[in-house]
Amino acid sequence: MEADEQLYPIAILIDELKSDDVTLRLNSIHRISTIALALGPERSRDELIPFLHESLDDEDEVLLALAEELGVSFVEYLGGPAHAHLLLGPLENLAAVEETVVREKACDSINQIADIMNEQQVQDHYLPLLKRLSSGEWFTSRTSAALLFAAVYEKVPLAMRTDMHNMFVTLCMDETPMVRRAAARDMSALIKRMSPEVIVNDMLPLYRRLSTDDQDSVRLLTVQDLVAMAEKLGPAETQQLLLPSICATFQDKSWRVRYMAADHFVQLASAVDENVIKEDLVPAFINLMRDAEAEVRTAAAGQIPGLAKLLDQTTIIERLLPVTKELADDLSQHVRGALAAQVSALAPLLGKEATTEYLLPLFLQLLKDEFPEVRLNIISRLEQVNEVIGIELLSQSLLPAIMTLAEDKQWRVRQAIIENIPLLAHQLGVKFFDEQLSGLCMSWLGDTVFSIREAATVNLKKLTEVFGVEWARQSIIPKVLQMSSHPNYLYRMTTIFAVTTMSQSLDSDTIINFILGALLNMVQDPIPNIRFNVAKAFEALIHELESSPAGVLVIKDQIVPALQTLHDDRDADVRYYAQRALQAAQAL
């Protein structure tokens, strides 16, 4: 009987894994660590691992779960790191399946296990696995092999590294593009663990072969290998050995390769000296900024500040800025958006005079762009410019543009400006806002378009969060409440919307002493729409006040009587919303 009980966990697992129900099989895999704990280390090594090794014919979802479960955390159930190599068997099989996600997760688990294996385990178990995968009949195993070199490279004795190099060379020369792509993808991780001498002798020839591959999907992945080599080698060696390759990458016939080169431009430029950058790389960068493909220009725009840090001010002004201005007129909104996100970072490099002369016109142009993302990217990064030229000069330049956009005939343009105002206020400060923008924000509350009025109320809430409740008490709330007695019912309606929205950012004292009175006065408003929105506002205030003892008292003494009045209203909608608010009050 005792023996039968010992077999119970493994028997249950076998039955569940043979089930036709995928969910059941998946759940059993997720419980595999519990089963291993019940079996104990010895039986897990002798029975569970061999069983898993032979039971790998299942749905991809189940195999993925198994690849994840058999990671480094499972080693403790086998008795510790001394037995970690036992997991390599089932993981090797998972690393050769057809589904990419399963293979990658299996390789990830193998690399985790490699970290806790000693050198002897690596020699006896890991290297044979690497050799089998590298020479596997199916390309799936060979693509997985490329992921597994870097993790153990430093644990392999020098005498055995030649074999590793030869295996990697085989992958780089594989006839299947997917394998060469995997080798190109994972070469950089291996390079980071190698000495400069080995890189030059062994990796550089492989890089040159892959960087001229007939498949652009392979070539584009070699850009990161080039970066890794440039970072490991000194400037002199990089200039001597890699500069031709760097320049060739920028001129590749495939836009996808040029995109990757543009995206890594600063990393490549950082590896050579300033003269090489000026003579060879700046012209290449200008070509990328003028590339026929918008994606390449977008990537290049993102590299402008990083490259500018490697250049003197004269070079920036004379060579970089003219092409930068061309991007501000680019037909692609994504290019202009990328430029708007980066161009502010040039201000600290140029100084006050040059920023005023060259960058401010560019900011103004981008601030008027038809696409909201471009405007947002400019506004969200004005702090860098503010630190260089000062708030007065910046506000003098920007305010006319903001005012123009705020009154644009297209309501969507006005809405975009409203949505950016809290960000702009945070950048420029409370004094500037009160003097220049406060009146503008209040004017939006009376806009003829409902969406603008709605956005304006949300804007006030966000401004309260930026500047604080005390500021709202003094600067915003009195102006909002003035509209509660306006002859036009739309203004009175906007007051209700504004205070309801703002209440989420206000404390209970402010709501009680400043907001509540205006709403109570509107209970008798002649317009039914006003009255039922007052009821809805009361419901919102109840939720804001219920956590405060003073708030609960106000709800019972002032809000509930007002709601009872509304509950007897002749309009059905008013009665409905009053009843709903009363239920919220009664739930306290």
Side-chain angles (χ1 to χ4, degrees):
M1 184 67 180
E2 185 177 347
D4 291 341
E5 289 178 355
Q6 289 180 342
L7 289 172
Y8 185 71
I10 194 81
I12 287 290
L13 179 63
I14 292 172
D15 289 342
E16 290 180 348
L17 289 179
K18 289 180 178 179
S19 169
D20 293 333
D21 188 346
V22 175
T23 303
L24 184 61
R25 299 202 302 275
L26 188 61
N27 289 337
S28 70
I29 292 297
H30 285 308
R31 289 178 21 252
I32 200 168
S33 57
T34 305
I35 293 171
L37 183 64
L39 289 172
E42 185 175 351
R43 291 192 64 205
S44 293
R45 296 194 300 266
D46 294 343
E47 299 175 34
L48 182 59
I49 295 301
F51 169 73
L52 293 175
H53 190 70
E54 297 168 0
S55 305
L56 292 175
D57 183 17
D58 209 324
E59 301 286 340
D60 292 334
E61 189 178 6
V62 177
L63 297 181
L64 178 62
L66 182 60
E68 189 172 2
E69 292 293 332
L70 296 183
V72 69
S73 60
F74 198 82
V75 171
E76 62 178 292
Y77 300 111
L78 302 182
H83 305 283
H85 61 275
L86 294 174
L87 292 175
L88 296 181
L91 288 172
E92 178 181 348
N93 290 344
L94 290 169
V97 301
E98 186 175 352
E99 175 55 46
T100 304
V101 178
V102 177
R103 295 201 308 271
E104 289 179 349
K105 178 54 68 175
C107 290
D108 182 50
S109 293
I110 291 173
N111 284 329
Q112 291 177 24
I113 292 166
D115 288 338
I116 64 171
M117 292 173 68
N118 58 41
E119 292 185 3
Q120 193 61 49
Q121 285 175 305
V122 169
Q123 292 179 46
D124 294 344
H125 303 285
Y126 196 100
L127 289 182
L129 171 147
L130 195 57
K131 188 172 184 179
R132 288 191 297 273
L133 288 175
S134 298
S135 58
E137 181 180 356
W138 297 100
F139 79 90
T140 52
S141 66
R142 303 198 297 276
T143 56
S144 293
L147 277 165
L148 304 177
F149 284 81
V152 295
Y153 183 80
E154 292 166 322
K155 292 185 177 182
V156 175
L158 291 175
M160 302 182 70
R161 287 183 185 175
T162 301
D163 291 337
M164 282 191 74
H165 294 167
N166 291 337
M167 283 188 275
F168 198 78
V169 168
T170 302
L171 296 179
C172 292
M173 300 175 67
D174 197 279
E175 62 180 11
T176 307
M178 286 80 83
V179 178
R180 300 198 303 275
R181 188 159 60 237
R185 177 194 62 195
D186 301 306
M187 182 188 290
S188 58
L190 189 55
I191 287 170
K192 291 174 182 177
R193 290 167 170 79
M194 291 178 162
S195 66
E197 182 181 358
V198 175
I199 291 172
V200 172
N201 293 334
D202 293 343
M203 290 294 108
L204 185 55
L206 290 179
Y207 160 77
R208 287 173 175 161
R209 181 183 182 91
L210 291 173
S211 66
T212 57
D213 196 276
D214 59 353
Q215 299 282 326
D216 66 348
S217 61
V218 175
R219 298 200 305 277
L220 69 89
L221 292 169
T222 63
V223 174
Q224 61 191 16
D225 304 331
L226 188 57
V227 171
M229 286 189 288
E231 290 175 346
K232 289 287 287 189
L233 302 178
E237 285 182 300
T238 297
Q239 184 173 334
Q240 178 185 354
L241 299 172
L242 301 182
L243 186 58
S245 297
I246 292 174
C247 293
T249 301
F250 298 142
Q251 300 170 8
D252 195 277
K253 62 184 179 180
S254 168
W255 73 265
R256 297 203 297 165
V257 179
R258 299 197 304 276
Y259 168 83
M260 287 293 289
D263 200 42
H264 292 80
F265 196 94
V266 173
Q267 290 175 285
L268 293 169
S270 301
V272 296
D273 61 43
E274 187 175 351
N275 290 331
V276 174
I277 296 174
K278 286 184 181 180
E279 294 175 10
D280 297 295
L281 299 192
V282 168
F285 188 72
I286 290 172
N287 288 336
L288 291 172
M289 293 171 75
R290 290 171 171 164
D291 196 274
E293 296 293 335
E295 287 84 353
V296 179
R297 301 196 301 275
T298 301
Q303 298 287 301
I304 290 173
L307 177 61
K309 290 177 182 178
L310 305 175
L311 301 171
D312 59 81
Q313 190 180 86
T314 302
T315 304
I316 296 172
I317 293 173
E318 294 181 355
R319 302 178 67 184
L320 206 56
L321 281 182
V323 192
T324 301
K325 292 177 181 177
E326 292 177 15
L327 294 183
D329 295 314
D330 199 279
L331 294 176
S332 168
Q333 70 185 76
H334 302 294
V335 175
R336 301 196 305 276
L339 176 65
Q342 301 295 334
V343 71
S344 298
L346 292 177
L349 304 174
L350 292 176
K352 184 173 182 177
E353 291 184 8
T355 296
T356 305
E357 181 179 354
Y358 298 105
L359 291 188
L360 273 184
L362 203 56
F363 295 152
L364 293 174
Q365 180 180 344
L366 293 169
L367 192 59
K368 297 175 184 176
D369 197 278
E370 61 179 322
F371 285 94
E373 182 186 358
V374 179
R375 298 194 296 267
L376 175 62
N377 287 347
I378 280 289
I379 290 174
S380 63
R381 291 162 178 81
L382 284 178
E383 190 172 2
Q384 292 174 300
V385 184
N386 181 22
E387 291 173 355
V388 175
I389 67 174
I391 186 62
E392 291 188 12
L393 185 57
L394 183 60
S395 62
Q396 290 170 12
S397 303
L398 288 178
L399 194 58
I402 293 171
M403 291 298 187
T404 300
L405 290 171
E407 298 170 358
D408 194 279
K409 62 181 180 180
Q410 294 291 332
W411 69 267
R412 293 187 186 277
V413 175
R414 301 200 301 276
Q415 185 177 29
I417 285 294
I418 295 172
E419 290 170 351
N420 292 331
I421 282 292
L423 193 56
L424 186 63
H426 177 73
Q427 300 280 330
L428 302 181
V430 65
K431 182 180 178 182
F432 174 81
F433 180 85
D434 285 341
E435 292 176 356
Q436 307 287 356
L437 297 177
S438 178
L440 184 62
C441 289
M442 297 307 300
S443 70
W444 283 321
L445 291 172
D447 197 281
T448 55
V449 178
F450 173 76
S451 295
I452 297 298
R453 299 197 299 274
E454 184 180 38
T457 62
V458 174
N459 176 47
L460 295 182
K461 172 182 177 291
K462 291 180 178 178
L463 287 171
T464 301
E465 294 170 354
V466 171
F467 293 140
V469 174
E470 186 59 36
W471 170 85
R473 285 182 179 182
Q474 298 176 8
S475 302
I476 293 295
I477 294 176
K479 296 177 182 178
V480 172
L481 295 181
Q482 283 177 5
M483 296 190 301
S484 65
S485 57
H486 197 282
N488 187 328
Y489 87 96
L490 288 176
Y491 283 84
R492 304 199 299 278
M493 187 82 78
T494 301
T495 299
I496 300 171
F497 291 155
V499 297
T500 304
T501 304
M502 289 177 65
S503 67
Q504 301 170 33
S505 301
L506 300 174
D507 56 39
S508 58
D509 288 342
T510 303
I511 294 173
I512 293 169
N513 296 321
F514 290 84
I515 301 295
L516 187 58
L519 289 175
L520 291 171
N521 290 335
M522 300 171 78
V523 169
Q524 302 294 340
D525 196 282
I527 305 296
N529 277 14
I530 296 290
R531 298 197 299 276
F532 83 64
N533 275 291
V534 168
K536 291 169 70 175
F538 280 144
E539 183 180 3
L541 293 188
I542 287 169
H543 293 301
E544 297 299 328
L545 294 173
E546 62 184 358
S547 59
S548 162
V552 173
L553 190 61
V554 165
I555 292 170
K556 292 180 179 179
D557 293 347
Q558 298 184 54
I559 294 180
V560 169
L563 286 171
Q564 288 170 343
T565 299
L566 293 170
H567 189 260
D568 296 329
D569 197 276
R570 62 183 180 275
D571 186 272
D573 289 333
V574 177
R575 295 195 300 272
Y576 169 78
Y577 286 109
Q579 175 63 29
R580 201 170 74 171
L582 281 170
Q583 289 174 352
Q586 291 165 0
L588 295 179

